[in-house]
Amino acid sequence: MMGTLLRGDRGGQVLLTVLAICAVVMPMCNLMLPVEHPWHVSTYQLNLFGKYLCYALLAMSVDLVWGYMGFLSLGHGAFFGLGGYAMGMYLMRQIGDRGVYGNPELPDFMVFLNWESLPWYWWGFDFFPVALIAVFLVPGLLAFIFGWLAFRSRVNGVYLSIISQAMTYALMLAFFRNEFGFGGNNGLTDFKDILGFPISAQGTRVALFVASAVAVIAGYLLCRSIVQSRAGRVVVAIRDAEDRARFLGYRVESYQLLVLVISAMLAGLAGALYVPQVGIINPGEFSPLNSIEIVIWVAIGGRATLYGAVLGALLVSFSKSWFTAVLPDYWIFALGALFVLSTLLLPAGVAGITRRRVTST
Amino acid sequence: MNALTAKSDASTLLYMEDVTVSFDGFKAINQLNLYIEEGELRCIIGPNGAGKSTMMDIVTGKTRPDKGVVTFGGDIDLLALDEPEIATIGIGRKFQKPTVFEALTVFENLEVAVEGERSPGFNWRYGLSNLQKERIADVAEIIGLSDQLGAPAQILSHGQKQWLEIGMLLVQKPRLLLVDEPVAGMTHQEMDRTGELLVSLAGSHTVVVVEHDMDFVRSLDSRVTVLHQGSVLAEGSMTDIQANTEVKRVYLGE
Ligand SMILES: Nc1ncnc2c1ncn2[C@@H]1O[C@H](COP(=O)(O)OP(=O)(O)O)[C@@H](O)[C@H]1O
Ligand SMILES: [Mg+2]
């Protein structure tokens, strides 16, 4: 199964192998080696890598719609944010009466707003399975509505990108409002437990890291299953000549919808894994700039390869953490320069350096 | 002089009557009547801007006429269907500007076009059937691209792209092929082969060819319709058409 999915995909084979090794070896280096051992991996480093793996999954979801389908989404941060909020709501409910106000029924921010009872859209989030379903369902539903409206009326190109940007911006404004019921400005934070385990314990961190690595691997295989199928070829055909695909009898909008919804769900999963690892979700995640940054990761990594997106996200994120430690004020310029240089020097991205064209017959 | 249009009857595959379409007040198609018989090879000629491509846009669902009747196979109202539906009932089209899928290989282009299930769910799960693979191999042979199946379409020559597009039509197995300017940019040798191919398709398929190149049209030796300012100016054999004084005046420039 995995063999056929990765056939002809050297980059993917290497990437997934390395990731799988990391997912096994790094936790061992963290848990089993003493702190002074040169190969010891600190929980902090593991946690950082885990966060970046969430970015990698997010970048992959953007590559699926942009690289393969030609929809330059400037709004994927919205799907990521919604997945993150769904997980955050579950984590909030796990706090119980350990909040500042000690109210067992309501999260702190609702007590602060003098709310009497839990709003209906928070119902069920005490239960992990409900939250998990919401992690996929809410971003998927938004993508479905967005796509249904946009693709059916054949909005495309730059207009579609702008609308996607407006979508995430509108969500940001909504989530900023206290009355919206998601903690306003401050978002959701002060989490205590996840599935009964203390959220900042070493073991939990390790588990979240492993879960993120597994999610990237599983997401990669899912994306591959699409792009190397006949449906994947149709998606590329739609990207290159939408009208032509229609005259061949393809219902272009159903392909676009399917791919967008799957992509949004992957982004939602990335957000859900991200939130317990950083301990907070706030409306800043919906900021248009975030969505643009994702696109830059993919552009730097190389489009329509999937592994390029993963590489780009990891590369930029690690440079960012290094750079902000050395020259904190200049990161935005460095990112800009990286983007411009990579577009000029590496039009096919980092992935393009090693990629040889693999033809399939 | 011939009657302007042949009367339609039971063997009419494509039926267009009194079709008008205007763009910002300009009538690109003006009360057009056109009847294509099952199995026929028909050439449509006419000066630039006569409405030839627009006629194809109407048949394939890309443009909606302001008025008129367009039916297919006797009882299918084409005006009630959209592009994918029209393609599915058996109308294939080659565009004036060759449009193959550049990033896909020759094989993949044919694979995307080959007759079969069009839903995303199905195509996500299943590959090609053996029958479809055979069909692709046969058509690749016909269009002379068997040795280039693995090559990306973007490296093909202009003529090869035209052929690939014709191949994509063939694997689609349509009842009616609409072919817009198939020999533009082809060498004489390529033109001859294309002509032979189109003639060989007639009978088992119905073929409508729009072309500018008079020598090419003559070589097809088919019934010819002259379009002018969105309506039919004359119809008949190439010899009749060339003898027609009105046609000479507006088109052949004599
Ligand atoms: N979508 C459109 N919008 C406006 N005008 C159009 C459109 N399509 C075609 N036309 C006009 O209709 C006329 C017929 O065009 P066309 O069918 O392409 O001619 P032909 O293929 O015979 O050269 C031209 O004058 C063209 O400019
Ligand atoms: Mg034309």
Side-chain angles (χ1 to χ4, degrees):
Chain A
M1 177 66 188
M2 239 176 88
T4 45
L5 285 182
L6 294 179
R7 189 166 37 194
D9 179 22
R10 283 308 294 226
Q13 292 164 5
V14 173
L15 178 81
L16 293 203
T17 310
V18 172
L19 270 181
I21 293 172
C22 284
V24 175
V25 173
M26 287 180 70
M28 282 164 53
C29 294
N30 172 264
L31 294 168
M32 284 145 74
L33 296 176
V35 178
E36 50 298 334
H37 194 283
W39 284 26
H40 175 80
V41 175
S42 76
T43 308
Y44 170 79
Q45 286 165 330
L46 211 58
N47 188 230
L48 196 69
F49 194 12
K51 256 169 59 184
Y52 295 167
L53 286 174
C54 298
Y55 290 156
L57 183 57
L58 178 57
M60 200 153 62
S61 76
V62 168
D63 192 26
L64 190 62
V65 292
W66 184 29
Y68 290 91
M69 203 170 71
F71 164 33
L72 170 57
S73 169
L74 297 178
H76 255 59
F79 306 126
F80 181 82
L82 289 174
Y85 266 97
M87 177 59 89
M89 286 162 79
Y90 162 76
L91 296 173
M92 281 309 266
R93 299 305 291 147
Q94 296 315 103
I95 297 174
D97 61 2
R98 288 170 292 177
V100 180
Y101 297 107
N103 186 324
E105 298 301 325
L106 293 181
D108 276 352
F109 74 89
M110 292 187 192
V111 180
F112 184 77
L113 291 171
N114 289 319
W115 286 12
E116 304 276 288
S117 60
L118 203 64
W120 62 267
Y121 47 82
W122 275 76
W123 295 349
F125 277 89
D126 305 47
F127 305 106
F128 186 74
V130 173
L132 193 63
I133 291 171
V135 160
F136 293 103
L137 205 63
V138 176
L141 200 65
L142 177 67
F144 186 84
I145 295 169
F146 176 89
W148 199 76
L149 294 172
F151 297 139
R152 262 173 31 107
S153 44
R154 302 195 187 168
V155 181
N156 46 31
V158 109
Y159 298 102
L160 192 58
S161 300
I162 292 172
I163 298 174
S164 67
Q165 176 108 92
M167 171 186 76
T168 194
Y169 188 67
L171 278 173
M172 180 176 77
L173 296 183
F175 274 82
F176 262 126
R177 298 169 63 91
N178 283 327
E179 315 87 87
F180 202 54
F182 297 97
N185 221 343
N186 301 321
L188 310 175
T189 186
D190 290 330
F191 309 136
K192 310 279 191 236
D193 301 330
I194 180 166
L195 294 168
F197 299 99
I199 199 152
S200 46
Q202 184 184 15
T204 315
R205 295 278 188 220
V206 171
L208 284 167
F209 165 78
V210 174
S212 306
V214 170
V216 172
I217 293 172
Y220 195 94
L221 293 175
L222 177 72
C223 290
R224 276 297 297 178
S225 87
I226 299 173
V227 304
Q228 59 87 256
S229 72
R230 289 187 66 198
R233 249 96 69 197
V234 176
V235 167
V236 171
I238 289 170
R239 175 193 73 191
D240 289 348
E242 192 178 316
D243 269 349
R244 189 75 177 87
R246 269 201 192 92
F247 290 119
L248 287 174
Y250 289 101
R251 208 148 275 294
V252 165
E253 59 278 11
S254 15
Y255 280 81
Q256 290 170 320
L257 255 185
L258 179 74
V259 172
L260 179 63
V261 168
I262 290 172
S263 162
M265 287 179 168
L266 286 176
L269 175 63
L273 285 162
Y274 179 78
V275 166
Q277 296 187 77
V278 293
I280 183 167
I281 171 87
N282 65 33
E285 291 302 336
F286 292 109
S287 150
L289 279 178
N290 280 20
S291 293
I292 292 171
E293 196 168 336
I294 311 166
V295 166
I296 295 179
W297 298 338
V298 178
I300 288 177
R303 266 186 287 165
T305 59
L306 296 174
Y307 64 85
V310 173
L311 228 58
L314 295 178
L315 204 74
V316 175
S317 301
F318 277 112
S319 331
K320 182 176 184 173
S321 71
W322 174 81
F323 210 93
T324 44
V326 189
L327 289 165
D329 294 337
Y330 296 98
W331 166 244
I332 191 74
F333 300 107
L335 180 64
L338 204 59
F339 178 56
V340 171
L341 283 178
S342 73
T343 6
L344 290 179
L345 303 178
L346 305 169
V350 176
I353 302 174
T354 50
R355 186 167 51 150
R356 259 177 291 139
R357 211 201 136 80
V358 185
T359 50
S360 57
T361 44
Chain B
M1 192 183 138
N2 285 313
L4 277 188
T5 52
K7 274 256 37 84
S8 79
D9 56 44
S11 63
T12 304
L13 181 66
L14 178 69
Y15 174 97
M16 299 179 84
E17 191 149 280
D18 198 22
V19 176
T20 298
V21 61
S22 44
F23 300 111
D24 308 317
F26 166 74
K27 286 187 174 162
I29 295 287
N30 193 1
Q31 299 182 315
L32 174 71
N33 298 320
L34 188 68
Y35 314 96
I36 309 287
E37 300 287 302
E38 179 102 55
E40 158 174 26
L41 170 62
R42 174 76 63 94
C43 274
I44 306 218
I45 62 173
N48 249 325
K52 305 182 297 292
S53 297
T54 307
M55 181 272 292
M56 291 195 172
D57 286 346
I58 293 169
V59 176
T60 52
K62 191 177 185 205
T63 300
R64 296 264 165 242
D66 304 332
K67 68 181 187 76
V69 178
V70 184
T71 61
F72 180 67
D75 54 356
I76 305 172
D77 177 11
L78 289 182
L79 301 183
L81 306 179
D82 65 5
E83 297 103 310
E85 285 166 340
I86 290 174
T88 313
I89 60 167
I91 299 183
R93 173 176 189 180
K94 192 201 94 55
F95 285 77
Q96 180 169 350
K97 180 171 160 280
T99 32
V100 296
F101 303 117
E102 303 270 332
L104 298 180
T105 64
V106 170
F107 180 87
E108 288 166 343
N109 268 277
L110 294 170
E111 179 187 20
V112 166
V114 74
E115 180 199 32
E117 179 64 44
R118 286 327 196 207
S119 80
F122 183 93
N123 285 319
W124 187 2
R125 268 171 295 153
Y126 302 107
L128 290 169
S129 70
N130 286 334
L131 213 67
Q132 287 173 315
K133 283 182 193 158
E134 276 168 34
R135 183 153 187 84
I136 290 174
D138 290 348
V139 167
E141 192 69 47
I142 295 173
I143 58 174
L145 290 175
S146 293
D147 297 336
Q148 265 134 314
L149 283 174
Q154 59 198 355
I155 69 163
L156 297 182
S157 73
H158 191 80
Q160 286 175 319
K161 280 185 193 174
Q162 296 268 39
W163 269 336
L164 175 56
E165 212 183 341
I166 293 172
M168 288 163 72
L169 265 186
L170 294 181
V171 290
Q172 219 185 317
K173 264 195 170 169
R175 277 174 81 188
L176 172 65
L177 288 87
L178 302 171
V179 191
D180 204 346
E181 304 205 7
V183 297
M186 280 190 181
T187 64
H188 268 285
Q189 209 180 1
E190 287 173 329
M191 263 194 212
D192 291 345
R193 280 189 55 189
T194 308
E196 282 166 27
L197 177 59
L198 291 175
V199 170
S200 75
L201 289 174
S204 54
H205 303 73
T206 308
V207 187
V208 175
V209 185
V210 162
E211 195 38 76
H212 259 311
D213 191 293
M214 281 304 136
D215 292 332
F216 179 73
V217 173
R218 208 169 285 119
S219 77
L220 293 184
D221 190 27
S222 71
R223 195 173 175 82
V224 177
T225 300
V226 185
L227 227 57
H228 179 56
Q229 296 180 347
S231 355
V232 174
L233 181 72
E235 204 166 88
S237 71
M238 194 63 188
T239 330
D240 296 342
I241 296 294
Q242 279 170 316
N244 186 312
T245 44
E246 208 156 348
V247 174
K248 276 187 197 164
R249 188 170 55 75
V250 306
Y251 188 52
L252 299 173
E254 285 165 32

